[in-house]
């Protein structure tokens, strides 16, 4: 019914119906009390209308039941809205396990998406239907906002930090991508599309011509920037070993601690002196302005693959030992 009206985009994700239900409930409550107040005001305006300029209204001492009613009823409605919206908020903020990881960068005036296998897209994003997709993104210049109306998700792309959002598409098709934050003269042209495909079709598209995975490109950058001369795998370098560190907790030189995630790794690459790992000197140079956001994301994926490589190597070693024992 409303498919042609931009205010009512189609529901194409698992969370879309919940978001719309909350929105319509708030609109209905607001409209109900707005109309009720208008009717009451008009009723009393007509009922107590008088042409006598000297007439004074009767003094009213108040009503405890009435005052309790107009305090308790709005309070209960507010609690319902709070609990309902908090439940949806936490659901949207907590992606499920085994999500499809995608990186994105906003810049004037385009969206650049990177798949872990190396596929890159501009103003277009291919995803499979029925699988949770998590997008980690930032901005290369000014404030942007990644908005996917059909999936009812949106988050700001802020220069200098990572934001994330996730969705699970429920229908095959093409859906709008917008920048929802004014970012310059061509803001209205910063649009794209999400192409939701059947899993088999998506795998066929994903296996197209590529020049190596993001982790492969990150490994090359890791070598080209001479990171491997300090971050030795055995931990004897001038910088800490990065093997099996993603997701771990590092103790800082100031006594604090930090979880090694995408945000911390980005900060360590671009402003390494901001937080130093305990026991190491501030020797690492800054790469701010030297590597692009896409390159930073590739290096992060390489560091994450070192974790996987370490686990695989350990498991292979155990299997080899068991085989030798037999």
């Amino acid at each position: 019914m409303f498919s042609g009206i931009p205010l009512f985009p189609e529901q194409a994700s698992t969370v879309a119906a919940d978001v719309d239900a909350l929105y319509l409930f708030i609109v209905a409550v607001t409209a109900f009390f707005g109309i009720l107040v208008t009717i009451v005001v008009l009723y009393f305006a007509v009922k107590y209308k008088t042409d006598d300029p000297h007439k004074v209204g009767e003094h009213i001492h108040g009503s405890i039941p009435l005052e309790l009613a107009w305090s308790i009823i709005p309070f209960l409605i507010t609690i319902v809205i709070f609990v309902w919206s908090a439940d949806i908020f936490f659901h949207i903020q907590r992606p499920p396990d085994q999500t499809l990881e995608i990186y994105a960068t906003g810049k004037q005036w385009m969206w650049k998406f990177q798949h872990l296998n190396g596929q890159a897209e501009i103003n277009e994003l291919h995803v499979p239907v029925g699988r949770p997709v998590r997008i980690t993104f930032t901005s290369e210049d000014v404030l942007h906002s990644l908005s996917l109306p059909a999936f009812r998700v949106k988050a700001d792309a802020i220069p200098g930090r990572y934001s994330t959002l996730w969705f699970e598409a429920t229908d095959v098709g093409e859906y709008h991508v917008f920048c929802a934050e004014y970012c310059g003269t061509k803001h209205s042209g910063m649009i794209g599309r999400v192409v939701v495909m059947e899993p088999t079709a998506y795998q066929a598209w994903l296996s197209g011509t590529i020049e190596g995975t993001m982790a492969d490109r990150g490994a090359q950058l890791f070598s080209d920037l001479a990171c491997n001369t300090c971050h030795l795998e055995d931990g004897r370098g001038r910088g800490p070993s990065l093997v099996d560190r993603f997701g771990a907790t590092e103790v800082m030189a100031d006594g604090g601690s930090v979880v090694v995630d995408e945000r911390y790794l980005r900060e360590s690459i671009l402003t390494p002196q901001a937080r130093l790992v305990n026991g190491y000197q501030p020797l690492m140079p800054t790469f701010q302005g030297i590597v692009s956001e896409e390159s930073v994301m590739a290096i992060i994926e390489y560091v994450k693959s070192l974790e996987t490589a370490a686990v695989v190597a350990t498991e292979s070693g155990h299997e080899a030992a068991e085989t030798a024992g037999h």
Side-chain angles (χ1 to χ4, degrees):
M1 177 179 178
F2 299 110
S3 59
I5 304 176
L7 291 177
F8 295 90
E10 57 188 307
Q11 298 174 348
S13 74
T14 54
V15 75
D18 295 332
V19 173
D20 286 355
L22 174 61
Y23 171 76
L24 293 175
F25 175 75
I26 295 174
V27 170
V29 169
T30 304
F32 171 78
F33 284 102
I35 294 172
L36 178 62
V37 169
T38 301
I39 292 174
V40 171
V41 168
L42 292 175
Y43 170 75
F44 285 121
V46 172
K47 179 178 180 179
Y48 295 107
K49 181 179 181 299
T50 178
D51 296 326
D52 185 356
H54 302 292
K55 189 172 183 179
V56 178
E58 181 181 351
H59 183 68
I60 299 175
H61 296 283
S63 170
I64 296 299
L66 182 60
E67 292 179 7
L68 287 174
W70 71 44
S71 297
I72 293 175
I73 293 175
F75 173 76
L76 294 177
I77 294 174
T78 302
I79 292 299
V80 170
I81 294 174
F82 172 77
V83 173
W84 192 352
S85 59
D87 178 65
I88 294 176
F89 173 80
F90 285 118
H91 178 62
I92 292 176
Q93 291 297 312
R94 296 173 177 172
D97 296 332
Q98 305 302 320
T99 56
L100 175 64
E101 297 288 338
I102 295 174
Y103 287 91
T105 304
K107 60 182 298 185
Q108 296 174 318
W109 286 275
M110 67 178 71
W111 293 107
K112 301 168 72 175
F113 298 96
Q114 295 186 88
H115 298 258
L116 298 190
N117 78 323
Q119 288 279 21
E121 307 181 78
I122 296 179
N123 291 336
E124 192 169 84
L125 175 62
H126 289 73
V127 298
V129 68
R131 181 175 178 185
V133 177
R134 179 175 179 260
I135 305 177
T136 301
F137 57 98
T138 186
S139 170
E140 216 172 76
D141 38 46
V142 299
L143 185 66
H144 299 285
S145 184
L146 180 59
S147 175
L148 309 174
F151 306 137
R152 305 301 192 270
V153 290
K154 180 185 74 169
D156 287 342
I158 304 170
R161 58 176 289 186
Y162 282 146
S163 302
T164 60
L165 59 77
W166 78 275
F167 62 89
E168 181 179 340
T170 55
D171 297 301
V172 173
E174 297 183 3
Y175 306 97
H176 292 295
V177 177
F178 293 115
C179 175
E181 186 74 37
Y182 181 72
C183 56
T185 55
K186 296 183 181 179
H187 163 71
S188 61
M190 192 170 172
I191 57 178
R193 62 174 185 160
V194 178
V195 181
V196 180
M197 313 171 72
E198 292 291 349
T200 53
Y202 172 73
Q203 288 301 324
W205 173 87
L206 201 63
S207 61
T209 304
I210 53 177
E211 299 179 357
T213 66
M214 282 186 67
D216 292 337
R217 189 156 58 90
Q220 185 62 52
L221 287 166
F222 198 78
S223 176
D224 293 344
L225 297 171
C227 304
N228 56 353
T229 62
C230 292
H231 296 282
L232 303 180
E233 293 187 2
D234 59 8
R236 298 179 181 179
R238 289 175 292 179
S241 171
L242 301 177
V243 174
D244 201 22
R245 298 313 301 157
F246 187 82
T249 300
E250 289 282 11
V251 178
M252 300 289 101
D254 60 5
S257 62
V258 64
V259 175
V260 180
D261 57 9
E262 290 92 349
R263 294 177 177 85
Y264 173 71
L265 289 175
R266 182 186 183 279
E267 179 187 61
S268 298
I269 294 169
L270 301 181
T271 55
Q273 313 304 326
R275 287 187 284 186
L276 295 173
V277 175
N278 188 39
Y280 292 92
Q281 298 298 315
L283 302 175
M284 181 173 169
T286 177
F287 291 97
Q288 185 83 48
I290 298 176
V291 294
S292 66
E293 289 292 348
E294 288 86 353
S295 296
V296 171
M297 293 171 177
I299 295 173
I300 290 174
E301 273 307 305
Y302 170 65
V303 173
K304 293 167 71 173
S305 74
L306 291 177
E307 175 194 16
T308 304
V311 172
V312 170
T314 301
E315 292 177 349
S316 298
H318 289 325
E319 291 175 0
E322 290 175 1
T323 302
H326 290 305

